Coordinates of all heavy atoms in Angstrom, one line a residue:
M18 N 11.1 4.8 -12.0 CA 10.7 5.3 -10.6 C 10.1 4.2 -9.8 O 9.4 3.4 -10.3 CB 9.6 6.4 -10.8 CG 9.3 7.2 -9.5 SD 7.9 8.4 -9.9 CE 6.8 8.0 -8.5
K19 N 10.5 4.2 -8.5 CA 10.0 3.1 -7.6 C 8.7 3.5 -7.1 O 8.3 4.6 -6.8 CB 10.9 2.9 -6.4 CG 12.2 2.2 -6.9 CD 13.1 2.0 -5.6 CE 14.3 1.2 -6.1 NZ 15.3 1.1 -4.9
R20 N 7.8 2.4 -6.9 CA 6.5 2.6 -6.2 C 6.1 1.4 -5.5 O 6.6 0.4 -5.8 CB 5.5 3.1 -7.2 CG 5.2 2.1 -8.3 CD 4.2 2.7 -9.4 NE 4.2 1.7 -10.5 CZ 3.0 0.9 -10.5 NH1 2.1 1.0 -9.8 NH2 3.0 -0.1 -11.5
I21 N 5.1 1.6 -4.6 CA 4.6 0.4 -3.9 C 3.3 -0.1 -4.6 O 2.5 0.6 -5.1 CB 4.0 0.9 -2.5 CG1 5.1 1.5 -1.8 CG2 3.5 -0.3 -1.7 CD1 6.2 0.7 -1.1
I22 N 3.4 -1.4 -4.8 CA 2.1 -2.1 -5.4 C 1.5 -3.1 -4.4 O 2.2 -3.6 -3.6 CB 2.4 -2.7 -6.8 CG1 3.4 -3.8 -6.6 CG2 2.8 -1.7 -7.9 CD1 3.4 -4.8 -7.8
V23 N 0.3 -3.3 -4.6 CA -0.5 -4.3 -3.7 C -0.8 -5.5 -4.6 O -1.4 -5.3 -5.7 CB -1.7 -3.7 -3.1 CG1 -2.7 -3.1 -4.0 CG2 -2.3 -4.7 -2.2
N24 N -0.6 -6.7 -4.0 CA -1.1 -8.0 -4.6 C -2.5 -8.1 -4.2 O -2.7 -8.4 -3.1 CB -0.1 -9.1 -4.3 CG -0.6 -10.3 -5.0 OD1 -1.7 -10.6 -5.2 ND2 0.5 -11.2 -5.2
R25 N -3.5 -7.9 -5.1 CA -4.8 -8.0 -4.7 C -5.2 -9.4 -4.3 O -6.3 -9.6 -3.6 CB -5.7 -7.6 -5.8 CG -5.5 -6.1 -6.2 CD -6.5 -5.6 -7.2 NE -7.9 -5.5 -6.7 CZ -9.0 -5.0 -7.3 NH1 -8.8 -4.5 -8.5 NH2 -10.1 -5.0 -6.8
Y26 N -4.6 -10.5 -4.8 CA -4.9 -11.8 -4.3 C -4.4 -12.1 -2.9 O -5.0 -13.0 -2.3 CB -4.2 -12.8 -5.4 CG -4.9 -12.6 -6.7 CD1 -4.0 -11.8 -7.6 CD2 -6.1 -13.0 -6.9 CE1 -4.6 -11.6 -8.9 CE2 -6.6 -12.8 -8.2 CZ -5.9 -12.1 -9.2 OH -6.4 -11.9 -10.4
K27 N -3.4 -11.4 -2.5 CA -2.9 -11.6 -1.1 C -3.5 -10.7 -0.1 O -3.6 -11.0 1.1 CB -1.4 -11.4 -1.1 CG -0.5 -12.5 -1.7 CD 0.9 -12.3 -1.5 CE 1.8 -13.2 -2.1 NZ 3.2 -12.9 -1.9
C28 N -3.9 -9.5 -0.5 CA -4.4 -8.4 0.5 C -5.8 -8.9 1.1 O -6.6 -9.2 0.5 CB -4.6 -7.2 -0.3 SG -5.3 -5.8 0.8
A29 N -5.8 -8.7 2.4 CA -7.0 -9.1 3.2 C -7.7 -7.9 3.6 O -8.7 -7.9 4.3 CB -6.5 -9.8 4.5
Y30 N -7.4 -6.7 3.1 CA -8.1 -5.4 3.3 C -8.2 -5.1 4.8 O -9.2 -4.7 5.3 CB -9.5 -5.4 2.7 CG -9.4 -5.8 1.2 CD1 -9.9 -7.0 0.9 CD2 -8.8 -5.0 0.3 CE1 -9.8 -7.5 -0.5 CE2 -8.7 -5.4 -1.0 CZ -9.2 -6.6 -1.4 OH -9.0 -7.1 -2.7
C31 N -7.1 -5.4 5.6 CA -7.2 -5.3 7.1 C -7.0 -3.8 7.5 O -7.3 -3.4 8.6 CB -6.2 -6.2 7.7 SG -4.5 -5.6 7.4
G32 N -6.3 -3.0 6.6 CA -6.2 -1.6 6.9 C -4.9 -1.3 7.7 O -4.7 -0.2 8.1
A33 N -4.1 -2.4 8.1 CA -3.0 -2.1 8.8 C -1.9 -1.2 8.2 O -1.3 -0.4 8.8 CB -2.2 -3.4 9.1
C34 N -1.8 -1.4 6.9 CA -0.9 -0.5 6.2 C -1.4 1.0 6.2 O -0.5 1.9 6.2 CB -0.8 -1.0 4.7 SG -2.3 -1.1 3.8
V35 N -2.6 1.2 6.2 CA -3.3 2.5 6.2 C -3.0 3.1 7.6 O -2.6 4.4 7.6 CB -4.7 2.5 6.0 CG1 -5.4 3.9 6.0 CG2 -5.1 1.8 4.6
S36 N -3.1 2.4 8.6 CA -2.8 2.9 10.0 C -1.4 3.4 10.2 O -1.1 4.3 10.9 CB -3.1 1.8 11.1 OG -4.4 1.3 10.9
V37 N -0.4 2.6 9.6 CA 1.0 3.0 9.7 C 1.5 4.1 8.8 O 2.6 4.7 9.0 CB 1.9 1.9 9.7 CG1 1.6 0.9 10.9 CG2 2.0 1.2 8.3
C38 N 0.7 4.4 7.8 CA 1.3 5.5 6.8 C 1.1 6.8 7.3 O -0.1 7.2 7.6 CB 0.5 5.2 5.4 SG 1.1 6.5 4.2
K39 N 2.2 7.5 7.5 CA 2.1 8.9 8.0 C 1.9 9.9 7.0 O 1.9 11.1 7.2 CB 3.4 9.2 8.8 CG 3.7 8.4 10.0 CD 5.0 8.7 10.5 CE 5.3 7.7 11.8 NZ 6.8 7.8 12.2
F40 N 1.8 9.5 5.7 CA 1.7 10.5 4.6 C 0.4 10.5 3.8 O 0.3 11.0 2.8 CB 2.9 10.2 3.7 CG 4.2 10.2 4.5 CD1 4.9 9.1 4.9 CD2 4.9 11.5 4.7 CE1 6.0 9.2 5.6 CE2 6.1 11.6 5.3 CZ 6.7 10.4 5.8
D41 N -0.6 9.8 4.4 CA -1.9 9.7 3.8 C -1.8 9.2 2.3 O -2.5 9.7 1.4 CB -2.6 11.0 3.7 CG -3.2 11.4 5.1 OD1 -3.5 10.5 5.9 OD2 -3.2 12.6 5.5
A42 N -0.9 8.2 2.1 CA -0.6 7.7 0.8 C -1.2 6.5 0.4 O -1.1 6.0 -0.7 CB 0.9 7.6 0.6
N43 N -2.1 6.0 1.3 CA -2.9 4.9 0.9 C -4.3 4.9 1.6 O -4.4 5.6 2.7 CB -2.1 3.6 1.4 CG -1.7 3.5 2.8 OD1 -2.2 4.3 3.6 ND2 -0.8 2.6 3.0
E44 N -5.2 4.1 1.2 CA -6.6 4.2 1.7 C -7.4 3.0 1.2 O -7.2 2.6 0.2 CB -7.1 5.6 1.3 CG -8.5 5.6 0.8 CD -9.0 7.0 0.4 OE1 -8.6 7.5 -0.7 OE2 -9.8 7.6 1.2
L45 N -8.2 2.6 2.1 CA -9.2 1.4 1.7 C -10.3 2.0 1.0 O -11.1 2.8 1.6 CB -9.5 0.6 2.9 CG -8.6 -0.4 3.5 CD1 -9.2 -1.0 4.7 CD2 -8.1 -1.4 2.5
V46 N -10.5 1.7 -0.2 CA -11.7 2.2 -1.0 C -12.5 1.0 -1.3 O -12.2 0.1 -2.1 CB -11.3 2.9 -2.3 CG1 -12.4 3.4 -3.0 CG2 -10.2 4.1 -2.0
E47 N -13.6 0.9 -0.6 CA -14.5 -0.3 -0.7 C -13.7 -1.5 -0.4 O -13.2 -1.7 0.7 CB -15.3 -0.3 -2.0 CG -16.2 0.9 -2.1 CD -17.1 1.0 -3.4 OE1 -17.0 0.0 -4.2 OE2 -17.8 2.0 -3.5
T48 N -13.5 -2.4 -1.4 CA -12.7 -3.5 -1.2 C -11.4 -3.5 -1.8 O -10.7 -4.5 -2.0 CB -13.5 -4.8 -1.7 OG1 -13.6 -4.7 -3.1 CG2 -14.8 -5.0 -1.0
Y49 N -10.9 -2.3 -2.1 CA -9.6 -2.2 -2.7 C -8.7 -1.2 -2.0 O -9.1 -0.3 -1.5 CB -9.8 -1.7 -4.2 CG -8.6 -1.6 -5.0 CD1 -7.9 -2.7 -5.4 CD2 -8.1 -0.3 -5.4 CE1 -6.7 -2.6 -6.2 CE2 -6.9 -0.2 -6.1 CZ -6.3 -1.4 -6.5 OH -5.1 -1.3 -7.2
L50 N -7.4 -1.6 -1.9 CA -6.3 -0.8 -1.3 C -5.8 0.2 -2.4 O -5.2 -0.3 -3.3 CB -5.3 -1.5 -0.6 CG -4.2 -0.6 -0.1 CD1 -4.6 0.1 1.1 CD2 -2.9 -1.5 0.2
E51 N -6.1 1.5 -2.2 CA -5.6 2.4 -3.1 C -4.2 3.1 -2.6 O -4.1 3.3 -1.5 CB -6.5 3.6 -3.5 CG -6.3 4.5 -4.5 CD -6.9 3.9 -5.8 OE1 -8.1 3.7 -5.9 OE2 -6.1 3.7 -6.8
I52 N -3.2 3.1 -3.5 CA -1.9 3.8 -3.0 C -1.7 4.9 -4.1 O -1.8 4.8 -5.2 CB -0.8 2.7 -3.2 CG1 -1.0 1.4 -2.3 CG2 0.5 3.3 -2.8 CD1 -0.2 0.3 -2.6
Y53 N -1.3 6.0 -3.4 CA -1.1 7.2 -4.1 C 0.4 7.5 -4.3 O 1.0 8.1 -3.4 CB -1.8 8.4 -3.5 CG -3.3 8.1 -3.2 CD1 -3.8 7.9 -2.0 CD2 -4.2 8.0 -4.3 CE1 -5.1 7.6 -1.7 CE2 -5.5 7.7 -4.2 CZ -6.0 7.6 -2.8 OH -7.4 7.3 -2.6
P54 N 1.0 7.2 -5.4 CA 2.4 7.3 -5.6 C 3.0 8.8 -5.4 O 4.0 9.0 -4.9 CB 2.7 6.9 -7.0 CG 1.4 6.2 -7.5 CD 0.3 6.6 -6.6
E55 N 2.1 9.8 -5.7 CA 2.6 11.2 -5.6 C 2.7 11.5 -4.1 O 3.5 12.5 -3.8 CB 1.5 12.1 -6.2 CG 0.1 12.2 -5.7 CD -0.8 11.1 -6.0 OE1 -0.4 10.0 -6.6 OE2 -2.0 11.2 -5.7
K56 N 2.0 10.9 -3.2 CA 2.2 11.2 -1.7 C 3.2 10.2 -1.0 O 3.7 10.6 0.0 CB 0.9 11.0 -1.0 CG -0.2 12.1 -1.3 CD -1.4 11.9 -0.5 CE -2.4 13.0 -0.7 NZ -3.7 12.6 0.2
C57 N 3.4 9.0 -1.6 CA 4.2 8.0 -1.1 C 5.7 8.4 -1.0 O 6.3 8.9 -2.0 CB 4.0 6.7 -1.8 SG 5.1 5.4 -1.2
T58 N 6.3 8.3 0.2 CA 7.7 8.6 0.5 C 8.7 7.3 0.3 O 9.8 7.4 0.5 CB 8.0 9.3 1.7 OG1 7.6 8.3 2.8 CG2 7.1 10.5 1.9
L59 N 8.0 6.2 0.2 CA 8.8 4.9 0.1 C 9.4 4.6 1.5 O 10.5 4.0 1.5 CB 9.8 4.8 -1.0 CG 9.2 4.9 -2.5 CD1 10.4 5.0 -3.5 CD2 8.4 3.6 -2.8
C60 N 8.7 5.0 2.5 CA 9.2 4.8 3.9 C 9.3 3.4 4.3 O 9.9 2.9 5.2 CB 8.4 5.6 4.9 SG 6.8 5.0 5.2
M61 N 8.4 2.5 3.5 CA 8.3 1.0 3.7 C 7.6 0.6 5.0 O 7.5 -0.6 5.3 CB 9.8 0.4 3.8 CG 10.6 0.7 2.5 SD 9.8 0.0 1.1 CE 10.4 -1.6 1.3
A62 N 7.1 1.5 5.8 CA 6.3 1.2 7.0 C 5.2 0.2 6.7 O 5.0 -0.8 7.3 CB 5.8 2.4 7.7
C63 N 4.5 0.5 5.6 CA 3.4 -0.4 5.2 C 3.8 -1.8 4.8 O 3.2 -2.8 5.1 CB 2.5 0.2 4.1 SG 3.5 0.6 2.6
V64 N 5.0 -1.8 4.0 CA 5.5 -3.1 3.5 C 5.8 -4.0 4.7 O 5.6 -5.1 4.7 CB 6.7 -2.8 2.6 CG1 7.3 -4.3 2.1 CG2 6.3 -2.0 1.4
K65 N 6.5 -3.4 5.7 CA 7.0 -4.1 6.9 C 5.8 -4.5 7.7 O 5.9 -5.6 8.4 CB 7.9 -3.2 7.8 CG 9.2 -3.0 7.1 CD 10.2 -2.1 8.0 CE 11.2 -1.5 7.2 NZ 11.6 -0.2 7.8
T66 N 4.7 -3.8 7.7 CA 3.6 -4.1 8.6 C 2.6 -5.1 8.0 O 2.0 -5.8 8.8 CB 2.8 -2.7 8.9 OG1 3.6 -1.9 9.5 CG2 1.6 -2.9 9.7
C67 N 2.5 -5.2 6.8 CA 1.4 -6.1 6.1 C 1.6 -7.4 6.6 O 2.6 -8.1 6.3 CB 1.5 -5.9 4.6 SG 0.3 -7.0 3.9
P68 N 0.6 -8.0 7.3 CA 0.6 -9.4 7.7 C 0.6 -10.4 6.5 O 1.0 -11.6 6.8 CB -0.5 -9.5 8.7 CG -1.5 -8.5 8.3 CD -0.7 -7.4 7.6
M69 N 0.2 -10.0 5.4 CA -0.1 -10.9 4.3 C 1.1 -10.9 3.3 O 1.0 -11.6 2.4 CB -1.4 -10.5 3.5 CG -2.7 -10.5 4.5 SD -2.9 -12.0 5.4 CE -3.5 -12.9 4.0
G70 N 2.1 -9.9 3.5 CA 3.1 -9.8 2.5 C 2.6 -9.4 1.2 O 3.0 -9.8 0.1
A71 N 1.5 -8.6 1.2 CA 0.9 -8.2 0.0 C 1.4 -7.0 -0.7 O 1.1 -6.6 -1.9 CB -0.7 -8.0 0.3
L72 N 2.3 -6.3 0.0 CA 2.8 -5.0 -0.6 C 4.3 -5.3 -1.1 O 5.1 -5.9 -0.4 CB 2.8 -3.9 0.4 CG 1.5 -3.6 0.8 CD1 1.5 -2.5 2.1 CD2 0.6 -2.8 -0.3
E73 N 4.7 -4.7 -2.1 CA 6.1 -4.7 -2.6 C 6.5 -3.6 -3.4 O 5.7 -2.8 -3.9 CB 6.3 -6.0 -3.4 CG 5.6 -6.1 -4.7 CD 5.9 -7.4 -5.4 OE1 7.1 -7.7 -5.8 OE2 5.0 -8.1 -5.8
V74 N 7.8 -3.3 -3.5 CA 8.3 -2.2 -4.2 C 8.6 -2.7 -5.6 O 9.3 -3.7 -5.8 CB 9.6 -1.6 -3.6 CG1 10.1 -0.4 -4.3 CG2 9.3 -1.2 -2.1
V75 N 8.2 -1.9 -6.6 CA 8.6 -2.3 -8.0 C 9.2 -1.0 -8.7 O 9.0 0.2 -8.2 CB 7.4 -2.7 -8.9 CG1 6.9 -4.0 -8.3 CG2 6.3 -1.7 -8.9
E76 N 10.0 -1.1 -9.6 CA 10.5 0.0 -10.5 C 9.4 0.5 -11.4 O 8.7 -0.2 -12.0 CB 11.7 -0.4 -11.3 CG 12.9 -0.6 -10.7 CD 13.5 0.7 -10.2 OE1 13.1 1.8 -10.7 OE2 14.3 0.7 -9.2
Ligands
SF4_116 S1 5.8 3.3 1.8 FE1 5.4 4.7 3.6 S2 4.5 6.6 2.6 FE2 4.3 5.0 1.0 S3 2.3 4.1 1.3 FE3 3.7 2.9 2.5 S4 3.7 3.7 4.5 FE4 2.8 5.3 3.1
SF4_117 S1 -1.7 -4.4 5.5 FE1 -1.5 -5.8 3.8 S2 -3.4 -7.1 3.9 FE2 -3.8 -5.3 5.2 S3 -4.8 -3.9 3.8 FE3 -2.6 -3.4 3.8 S4 -1.9 -4.6 2.0 FE4 -3.9 -5.4 2.5

């Protein structure tokens, strides 16, 4: 199953990916970006928006 993962070393916790997610599938929790695979539709909006290239799709 495909899912989005965040590279914690690249992520700047800017919240841009949270702003563009229409499915409430991600959230900034303190200093960590949480992604909820059960809500994620793999629309890729967050991946395209991230200025740090910190998000990617994995199997
Ligand atoms: S791929 Fe789409 S649905 Fe999934 S977390 Fe990113 S913006 Fe939200
Ligand atoms: S847009 Fe990228 S850098 Fe910003 S919080 Fe999301 S994953 Fe981190």
